[in-house]
Amino acid sequence: MALTRESRRTVFRQIAQRSYADWPTYESCPLFDRSSLPALESDVRLVAETWFQHDDHNSVDQFVHAVPLTYVQFDAHDRYAGSTSYEMETLFRLFLLKECHGWDHETALVEYLTKHPDLCDQLGLESVPNQSTLWRSWHHRFTADLQDTVETTARTILIKAQNAGVTVPRDPEHQSRRYENGSTESDPDDQTVLEQAETVTEQVSCVALPAFSLDRGEGCEIHENAYWDLQTYLGLRENLAVNEGARSFIHESNRERTPLGHAHREHIRDLTIEQIREMYRQAIGRLLGRVAETEEFLRAGIVAIDVTEDDPFTGDRTDHEDEIIGTKEKTDEYAYQWATVQLVGNAVPIVLDARPVRKGDTRKEIVEDLLDSAEAAVHVDNVLMDREFDSQHILEMLSQRGLSYVVPKRMQTSEKAQAKRLLKRNKDRYETDRKLHLGDNEWHSTTLIYRRKENSEHTDHQQYSVFMTNRNSGLLTEYGYRWEIESGYKSIKRFMGATTSKHFGLRFFYFAFACLLYSVWRAVDLLVQVQLTGEYEHSPIVTADNTLTLVKKKTGIG
């Protein structure tokens, strides 16, 4: 089917109706203007994602001539000063076409245009440029940054088209040619990493952060982004409370007006738990959409669900007993508790959702709630949980969802007896099937795996751990991935601002925003690694402090 005015109208109507989808980016994000190349890349990404979902839009060439570019100011990236035969917008489309087809030389582009006069008319070409003109335009007129944007944008178009089932001229590469061909070092140096991280952080922060909104109405003197800037600023300093942070923020921010501490608190308190969670899920959805363009991001994978606790609460709990509920280790201390579901394993460890834990919340309710969010965002195969989720009803629910699981079992009398027998026989591993009673003559079938701990300090049955799984024993090796969620919690708490407030919504917001900053960091690291090396190694090459500092810089601070 041919491109029509109605099909175009349908696409942009859908973009306008998408929740938290802002196009063009420069109008919605103060970091960008019409000359910003990251904004251009973001816009093409959004339009392409929607464009190729339309039944009539099945041609990459068609998209290249139809994608809106008239608002883009290319002058800042044009190294020619005098009059020229071809406008930068037209050349951008031509080189985009060349990159989408993967032609190494301009001659192939010239031959293609000559054979397709209709395409020349659509591109506004009165005549086909010769090879030397195109060569000079690319090598002498386009800046290196604009060349990178052509390559990045072409990959985006190919990936979005391929995802929608549209035939593409070539398989998209997942690494910039400039870095692929221009570096002979096995590992990028620190300066290269930081330069690339700055560009990527700029893109990612403008993808995720706009999902948060205070709904303050019109005519406010202080821009809403200043509140998120301040919250990010609090995450940059350990144990920095909002009143002190707001005073320092006045001097470090380049904004004319910044919020005071009490105003910041009041606006955050106005947000409900559900509003915070919905904004968080929207932000993570946008973040996943950005990293999903890379071949190295694994949408299908393993998630870990766990509960963490805030610092012990030492004040008066009166009227807050349902919220300041204690610690997981059942000590005499009290603390706020938060539950999360996070990608683990070979995937980038993004926190998919977070929720508070109140007195009376069952572990089954928590798991179901978080899994609903996770499965709406990514394809989940396996679920890893700690022994506090050792419940036959939780395990049955996971099996009914078609999910596999690994959960440690608390050792009761029968498990202790079996462990003693294994110790006596000097066996390191043992498997047995077990039926767990659900009530009303219903049972959940699982497999118990006894595994001897290496270098255990115990001399009795405590040398063994017992795990439950509904798959084969090979899945047990994946349980080691669960440690990543504990490691993640340490970084998340590092990103939290300090507060002594007992307001439950405010406390949860601080935790959720810290989860977002952590996820932004890990997303930035993945994208930088792929851009510079074409691969993703789980160990970050971009530090958390690097990312937070760049987010701070890109959101108007410092």
Side-chain angles (χ1 to χ4, degrees):
M1 296 289 290
L3 167 67
T4 64
R5 180 179 298 178
E6 181 57 34
S7 68
R8 286 176 58 98
R9 186 181 296 116
T10 299
V11 166
F12 288 98
R13 187 184 297 120
Q14 289 174 346
I15 291 174
Q17 292 172 347
R18 284 181 58 173
S19 178
Y20 300 107
D22 303 308
W23 181 89
T25 300
Y26 80 89
E27 288 187 344
S28 60
C29 186
L31 310 186
F32 298 144
D33 57 31
R34 293 184 182 216
S35 66
S36 299
L37 296 178
L40 172 58
E41 294 172 15
S42 178
D43 287 346
V44 173
R45 184 179 307 115
L46 176 60
V47 175
E49 182 176 345
T50 311
W51 183 274
F52 289 113
Q53 292 174 359
H54 195 288
D55 291 340
D56 294 349
H57 297 168
N58 53 12
S59 165
V60 169
D61 288 6
Q62 186 185 79
F63 180 84
V64 170
H65 81 74
V67 59
L69 295 176
T70 54
Y71 67 91
V72 181
Q73 294 179 344
F74 287 105
D75 294 350
H77 314 287
D78 185 354
R79 292 190 286 185
Y80 281 8
S83 60
T84 55
S85 301
Y86 298 98
E87 297 293 333
M88 285 289 286
E89 178 189 329
T90 301
L91 291 171
F92 183 84
R93 293 185 193 275
L94 292 178
F95 290 121
L96 198 56
L97 184 68
K98 173 178 176 288
E99 188 66 25
C100 283
H101 282 267
W103 296 317
D104 291 329
H105 304 289
E106 290 75 16
T107 302
L109 174 60
V110 172
E111 292 174 351
Y112 188 78
L113 292 172
T114 303
K115 294 177 182 178
H116 295 83
D118 290 346
L119 179 58
C120 292
D121 291 340
Q122 292 165 348
L123 292 169
L125 291 173
E126 295 182 1
S127 62
V128 176
N130 60 43
Q131 183 272 337
S132 60
T133 297
L134 291 172
W135 189 91
R136 287 195 303 272
S137 296
W138 178 257
H139 291 280
H140 298 298
R141 189 172 181 184
F142 274 38
T143 63
D145 288 341
L146 187 56
Q147 292 174 353
D148 279 350
T149 292
V150 170
E151 295 176 359
T152 300
T153 304
R155 289 197 304 275
T156 296
I157 294 169
L158 294 173
I159 290 169
K160 296 301 184 184
Q162 201 172 54
N163 290 346
V166 173
T167 301
V168 295
R170 66 174 177 89
D171 287 334
E173 297 171 355
H174 294 273
Q175 182 181 4
S176 170
R177 292 183 184 180
R178 189 156 73 95
Y179 291 108
E180 186 179 70
N181 298 330
S183 176
T184 57
E185 298 182 10
S186 57
D187 297 311
D189 58 45
D190 291 344
Q191 185 60 37
T192 301
V193 169
L194 282 175
E195 289 174 357
Q196 189 64 25
E198 182 167 8
T199 300
V200 174
T201 302
E202 189 172 7
Q203 298 172 10
V204 167
S205 60
C206 262
V207 166
L209 294 182
F212 279 76
S213 174
L214 292 174
D215 192 22
R216 296 181 302 149
E218 302 292 333
C220 297
E221 293 185 12
I222 300 178
H223 197 287
E224 183 175 285
N225 288 344
Y227 290 87
W228 313 133
D229 297 350
L230 175 56
Q231 192 67 39
T232 303
Y233 182 74
L234 298 179
L236 280 164
R237 310 289 181 84
E238 289 193 45
N239 299 317
L240 182 63
V242 69
N243 282 343
E244 179 186 354
R247 287 192 292 269
S248 301
F249 185 56
I250 293 173
H251 304 292
E252 294 206 34
S253 172
N254 57 19
R255 294 184 179 276
E256 293 182 3
R257 295 290 304 276
T258 59
L260 297 175
H262 72 275
H264 181 80
R265 277 196 306 271
E266 288 304 316
H267 283 302
I268 299 303
R269 284 172 178 166
D270 286 341
L271 297 173
T272 66
I273 298 292
E274 278 311 309
Q275 284 176 322
I276 296 169
R277 292 192 65 195
E278 177 59 23
M279 290 189 295
Y280 184 87
R281 288 189 290 260
Q282 291 284 352
I284 291 299
R286 292 166 63 111
L287 196 61
L288 291 172
R290 179 66 181 88
V291 297
E293 295 171 10
T294 67
E295 189 177 62
E296 289 71 19
F297 174 70
L298 306 175
R299 293 193 77 90
I302 310 167
V303 298
I305 294 175
D306 207 348
V307 173
T308 189
E309 55 205 28
D310 220 321
D311 292 335
F313 186 86
T314 57
D316 183 6
R317 287 196 310 138
T318 303
D319 298 328
H320 296 274
E321 292 88 349
D322 290 344
E323 300 163 352
I324 311 173
I325 59 177
T327 63
K328 296 197 297 180
E329 299 301 325
K330 308 301 181 184
T331 66
D332 56 357
E333 294 181 324
Y334 294 95
Y336 293 90
Q337 291 189 14
W338 322 113
T340 64
V341 57
Q342 176 181 311
L343 287 171
V344 293
N346 294 323
V348 57
I350 288 174
V351 180
L352 300 173
D353 195 12
R355 59 160 285 163
V357 179
R358 296 181 176 87
K359 184 178 180 180
D361 290 344
T362 69
R363 288 299 188 250
K364 183 171 182 286
E365 291 171 345
I366 292 170
V367 172
E368 285 184 305
D369 182 20
L370 293 176
L371 275 180
D372 285 343
S373 297
E375 291 192 291
V378 297
H379 177 78
V380 178
D381 290 324
N382 308 328
V383 181
L384 309 178
M385 296 179 291
D386 203 355
R387 60 175 40 86
E388 65 183 293
F389 297 96
D390 166 11
S391 161
Q392 60 267 42
H393 296 285
I394 293 178
L395 304 184
E396 177 66 14
M397 179 267 293
L398 294 175
S399 290
Q400 290 182 359
R401 285 177 178 247
L403 302 174
S404 57
Y405 62 77
V406 178
V407 182
K409 189 180 189 310
R410 286 168 284 202
M411 296 183 74
Q412 307 297 341
T413 302
S414 61
E415 288 81 35
K416 291 177 183 177
Q418 181 62 60
K420 290 176 182 177
R421 288 193 290 271
L422 295 174
L423 183 62
K424 198 171 184 179
R425 299 171 190 166
N426 197 31
K427 292 191 67 174
D428 293 335
R429 192 181 182 96
Y430 174 73
E431 294 183 28
T432 183
D433 292 335
R434 174 75 64 85
K435 287 189 175 181
L436 306 175
H437 189 228
L438 297 170
D440 296 331
N441 202 30
E442 294 183 345
W443 302 82
H444 174 75
S445 297
T446 190
T447 298
L448 266 56
I449 303 176
Y450 292 76
R451 189 175 67 179
R452 197 173 194 169
K453 305 171 189 174
E454 293 183 7
N455 304 318
S456 174
E457 60 185 23
H458 299 286
T459 58
D460 58 4
H461 68 276
Q462 296 180 77
Q463 290 186 34
Y464 292 87
S465 296
V466 187
F467 295 87
M468 296 179 290
T469 181
N470 58 348
R471 295 293 185 269
N472 59 57
S473 60
L475 192 63
L476 193 59
T477 59
E478 295 182 349
Y479 190 76
Y481 293 137
R482 206 201 67 80
W483 70 268
E484 295 170 10
I485 202 167
E486 298 292 348
S487 175
Y489 282 148
K490 292 180 181 178
S491 295
I492 288 166
K493 291 174 182 178
R494 156 71 179 83
F495 296 160
M496 289 178 65
T499 182
T500 57
S501 172
K502 287 186 279 189
H503 190 280
F504 198 48
L506 182 99
R507 285 272 188 170
F508 176 63
F509 177 86
Y510 272 38
F511 177 75
F513 201 84
C515 287
L516 178 61
L517 292 177
Y518 171 80
S519 299
V520 165
W521 163 40
R522 300 310 301 250
V524 166
D525 178 68
L526 174 129
L527 293 169
V528 169
Q529 287 196 45
V530 171
Q531 185 71 18
L532 295 182
T533 70
E535 298 177 348
Y536 174 59
E537 297 291 338
H538 211 69
S539 179
I541 65 171
V542 181
T543 69
D545 282 342
N546 286 158
T547 303
L548 275 178
T549 302
L550 292 170
V551 170
K552 180 186 77 165
K553 177 180 178 182
K554 294 303 177 186
T555 50
I557 314 168

